[in-house]
Amino acid sequence: MALTLERALLRLKRLEAALIRSHLAQPDVLPQADYELIRYALVLGRLQAFRPGAAGAPDPSRVVRAEVALLPEPVTALRELLLARLYAPLREQRNVLLRLAQLRQQVEVVREATRAARDALLAHHAGEFTAAELDAELCHKVLVLAPGGGGGSGFVYIGLVARLREAGLQPSYIVGASIGALLGGLIARDRDPDVDGLMAWGKGLKIRHIFSRPKIGSALSLPGLVRLHLRGMDRMLRNPDGSPLRMKDLAVPYDAMIAGVRLSAYQNLPQIPQRRPHLLGLPLLIAERMLQLLTYFSPQVAKELVLGRDALTSELRVVDAIGLSSAIPGVLQYAPWQEDAQSSEILRRLREVHGLSAFMDGGTVANVPARAAWEGVESGRIGTRNAFYLALDCFHPQWSAGHAWLIPVTQAIQAQLPAQRPYYDWLVRFQRTPSPVNLLPSDDVFDKAFQWGWKQADEVLPQLQEALRPLPVPRLA
């Protein structure tokens, strides 16, 4: 069966990831210049469009021009050759030494096919982009983060981002769900995030800054145990003149994954029981409600929506996108401290267009939103199409006391991951995290989460640093 275009592009992406891992494991088998040539070819083979000037080292004088859709025939010919010649060694050969030795035999064929495709593109698009601009697109890869949901477990993400920052690596695009959307929005506020300031802010939060009693009457999300109003976060997400930060205003492109509750399914949803005392306290009451989440993991109930990517939702307040992505049905009801007329109108239009009754946690549709991140890049969200996709998962089955009671929910969430797997290059599954219900951890737990995230970042650093290292333009003659 012939591959669809999407599957072919994803397969080439995975071939490049396998090549990088193999070369890191055995750097002396495939000559460096040949390794870099094959990587260059694998990026060119999946390039359909790009924005000249968007890629490359930061340069204030560089002009980013209108997007160019490439002549498809040269790229298609190269893509088919790469899949035919490189798939077997990179995906089917288990022995790394043999894999790289087999790749050496394909170098000259790849070189000739790459030269022919590049020459044809430069000739056809003369005046639309230069050779230097095409090479910049192919030789400079950017980091895309897809942090997933998991309540208080997600505070480990701060430590990982801090470790990457120390290594000189910063995201060029963030797509988050739930706690991943919350922390992603804060990180995207500045091009160089102030991690120390973020930690100090988080430690200073009190319950009243984030939560209050549930709101009676209409709200943007389904009912919950507590109201998530995000007053303390709203103060962080403002422009210098005091106006609210909107999605388009963030320094780093950022999208938030949310779910819409379909009108057709709303009347069949389980009734949320009235709030009542629980003999074992609030955590067990939250556990009871969290188990009801299983009802919402259905496309008949929940519709996936990505906020920030289109002209309409780019005008949404960042705090509203974060709140909606974090609104866990039966647990957290998002109702902002102060409503924003512009955001309210945008959300009204979304409900009307998509036939929705309310919004809820993005984790119900894609707890690790790697596919949404890949689709954003491919649609031109950040100009370049050459990206490394780092997915973050803090919400998987763990047997410690703070996590074990959530195993039915975490198992259901994990069932989503196979559908996301083709879209990320690396998944960081954090082995130690705070409890998901610890939404305002103590200073000690905050510090531990930071250290756990920092330490686990070391696992991905070699692959990430090599993937993001600028490549020299290969010899094609």
Side-chain angles (χ1 to χ4, degrees):
M1 180 183 296
L3 293 176
T4 64
L5 177 59
E6 179 175 314
R7 289 189 63 191
L9 298 179
L10 292 171
R11 183 168 287 188
L12 287 185
K13 182 174 75 68
R14 296 187 73 176
L15 292 185
E16 186 189 8
L19 174 61
I20 294 171
R21 288 194 300 271
S22 302
H23 188 68
L24 286 173
Q26 296 290 343
D28 298 325
V29 179
L30 186 65
Q32 183 73 13
D34 293 344
Y35 156 75
E36 291 168 346
L37 164 68
I38 296 174
R39 279 193 58 191
Y40 180 98
L42 287 167
V43 178
L44 179 56
R46 59 182 189 266
L47 187 63
Q48 301 179 83
F50 76 107
R51 198 177 306 156
D59 182 358
S61 65
R62 185 172 63 226
V63 176
V64 179
R65 293 186 281 125
E67 182 156 296
V68 177
L70 298 185
L71 178 70
E73 287 79 8
V75 180
T76 300
L78 175 62
R79 179 165 59 246
E80 291 174 351
L81 179 137
L82 294 173
L83 290 171
R85 296 282 188 146
L86 303 185
Y87 183 80
L90 281 172
R91 297 298 295 169
E92 296 176 352
Q93 175 55 255
R94 300 302 180 188
N95 185 291
V96 176
L97 293 174
L98 291 177
R99 179 186 305 161
L100 294 171
Q102 291 170 9
L103 285 178
R104 291 189 66 172
Q105 300 173 14
Q106 304 297 331
V107 167
E108 292 311 315
V109 174
V110 170
R111 189 189 313 278
E112 175 59 27
T114 304
R115 181 198 61 76
R118 181 177 181 273
D119 287 351
L121 291 174
L122 291 174
H124 181 81
H125 294 285
E128 294 181 277
F129 56 78
T130 66
E133 288 170 329
L134 177 61
D135 290 335
E137 170 67 19
L138 301 175
C139 294
H140 291 82
K141 197 180 295 292
V142 299
L143 174 61
V144 173
L145 285 184
S153 297
F155 289 115
V156 291
Y157 298 160
I158 302 175
L160 176 134
V161 169
R163 180 68 183 93
L164 298 184
R165 179 173 176 267
E166 186 188 68
L169 307 177
Q170 297 183 29
S172 295
Y173 180 34
I174 302 172
V175 182
S178 197
I179 187 68
L182 187 153
L183 294 174
L186 293 175
I187 291 166
R189 188 182 61 168
D190 302 302
R191 180 66 62 179
D192 185 11
D194 180 4
V195 175
D196 292 335
L198 182 58
M199 286 289 289
W201 171 80
K203 290 180 178 181
L205 282 177
K206 306 299 181 186
I207 289 178
R208 66 180 183 276
H209 298 152
I210 301 292
F211 305 112
S212 66
R213 293 181 180 276
K215 182 179 178 181
I216 305 300
S218 63
L220 295 173
S221 66
L222 296 174
L225 281 171
V226 294
R227 175 186 179 185
L228 179 70
H229 58 68
L230 298 179
R231 183 181 186 184
M233 188 167 292
D234 183 38
R235 294 172 178 171
M236 288 274 288
L237 295 170
R238 290 191 171 270
N239 292 301
D241 63 1
S243 61
L245 271 175
R246 303 194 182 275
M247 303 288 273
K248 66 179 183 180
D249 299 329
L250 293 168
V252 177
Y254 162 79
D255 296 336
M257 174 69 68
I258 69 167
V261 182
R262 298 182 188 274
L263 278 169
S264 57
Y266 186 71
Q267 61 184 6
N268 297 320
L269 292 176
Q271 293 296 312
I272 302 296
Q274 293 183 350
R275 185 172 181 178
R276 55 184 173 80
H278 199 291
L279 292 176
L280 296 179
L282 185 60
L284 267 296
L285 187 54
I286 293 176
E288 178 185 277
R289 298 290 181 86
M290 289 287 282
L291 292 177
Q292 293 175 347
L293 274 177
L294 300 176
T295 306
Y296 296 89
F297 296 161
S298 166
Q300 283 72 46
V301 174
K303 178 177 178 59
E304 179 180 309
L305 297 171
V306 180
L307 303 179
R309 186 168 300 168
D310 58 278
L312 177 64
T313 61
S314 69
E315 299 288 347
L316 194 69
R317 275 194 313 187
V318 177
V319 70
D320 291 322
I322 288 172
L324 293 173
S325 188
S326 306
I328 304 172
V331 179
L332 296 178
Q333 171 206 47
Y334 177 62
W337 190 263
Q338 291 183 333
E339 292 192 4
D340 175 77
Q342 189 170 354
S343 282
S344 296
E345 174 59 19
I346 292 169
L347 296 172
R348 185 198 65 78
R349 290 175 63 183
L350 286 179
R351 285 196 297 267
E352 182 179 281
V353 169
H354 297 288
L356 307 173
S357 62
F359 303 101
M360 62 182 178
D361 191 301
T364 58
V365 286
N367 199 54
V368 178
R371 178 173 57 83
W374 182 83
E375 289 174 345
V377 171
E378 288 298 311
S379 70
R381 181 74 168 88
I382 57 175
T384 180
R385 268 49 170 201
N386 192 1
F388 184 99
Y389 299 85
L390 181 61
L392 309 180
D393 180 17
C394 67
F395 199 59
H396 54 88
Q398 299 186 57
W399 290 101
S400 61
H403 299 78
W405 54 271
L406 271 174
I407 283 179
V409 180
T410 53
Q411 286 178 328
I413 288 290
Q414 290 300 297
Q416 297 177 346
L417 270 179
Q420 301 294 324
R421 174 65 187 91
Y423 300 93
Y424 58 74
D425 293 298
W426 191 286
L427 174 69
V428 178
R429 180 169 288 171
F430 293 86
Q431 298 307 311
R432 301 191 69 185
T433 67
S435 169
V437 299
N438 199 353
L439 299 178
L440 284 179
S442 65
D443 290 1
D444 181 57
V445 172
F446 233 119
D447 289 335
K448 285 182 179 178
F450 182 91
Q451 292 301 323
W452 293 334
W454 179 285
K455 184 176 181 180
Q456 195 139 355
D458 288 335
E459 296 179 8
V460 70
L461 265 179
Q463 172 93 1
L464 194 51
Q465 288 174 317
E466 176 58 25
L468 300 179
R469 175 180 62 85
L471 296 175
V473 180
R475 179 183 62 83
L476 297 176

